[in-house]
Amino acid sequence: QVQLVESGGGLVQAGGSLRLSCVASGSTFSDYATGWYRQAPGKQRELVAAITKGGIPNYGDPVKGRFTISRDNAKSTVFLQMNDLKPEDTGVYYCWVGSYWGQGTQVTVSS
């Protein structure tokens, strides 16, 4: 059983930055792709960013150029650096590893 623990969410003003972390336990983290989705109120869950087990990143169009995903296999952790945050980035951010999901962390961006 894989467990994922997210941290780093919070309230920030537009233009600010946050860094999300997700620590995985119970699996060989380096064997899996991983990444982040988000869900805003009343909207479908959407891909924010993903990174392959080889370290190749992929981003959703709304965050390209502002967000950076990275992974530290030694620490079984995936990170999401979020810069130049906008109110439309508000939502619950979920990390995933393989077929497993975290419980989510709230990100709120005020205008």
Side-chain angles (χ1 to χ4, degrees):
Q1 184 71 21
V2 176
Q3 293 186 334
L4 306 176
V5 178
E6 298 129 327
S7 62
L11 173 64
V12 64
Q13 289 187 332
S17 298
L18 287 173
R19 189 188 194 210
L20 305 184
S21 301
C22 175
V23 181
S25 61
S27 74
T28 306
F29 177 78
S30 59
D31 287 346
Y32 296 97
T34 181
W36 298 86
Y37 275 72
R38 70 185 180 189
Q39 188 164 20
K43 295 187 177 181
Q44 290 188 330
R45 194 173 292 193
E46 65 174 354
L47 173 70
V48 177
I51 187 166
T52 68
K53 61 181 182 180
I56 299 173
N58 181 44
Y59 299 95
D61 286 341
V63 308
K64 285 181 179 177
R66 300 186 296 122
F67 291 10
T68 302
I69 189 170
S70 60
R71 64 188 296 161
D72 184 336
N73 289 336
K75 296 182 179 180
S76 298
T77 303
V78 57
F79 302 98
L80 185 69
Q81 178 66 43
M82 305 186 293
N83 298 329
D84 190 23
L85 283 160
K86 303 176 180 181
E88 51 263 42
D89 294 318
T90 294
V92 179
Y93 284 66
Y94 299 90
C95 90
W96 57 271
V97 175
S99 60
Y100 299 93
W101 291 84
Q103 292 184 329
T105 185
Q106 177 70 43
V107 171
T108 303
V109 184
S110 63
S111 57

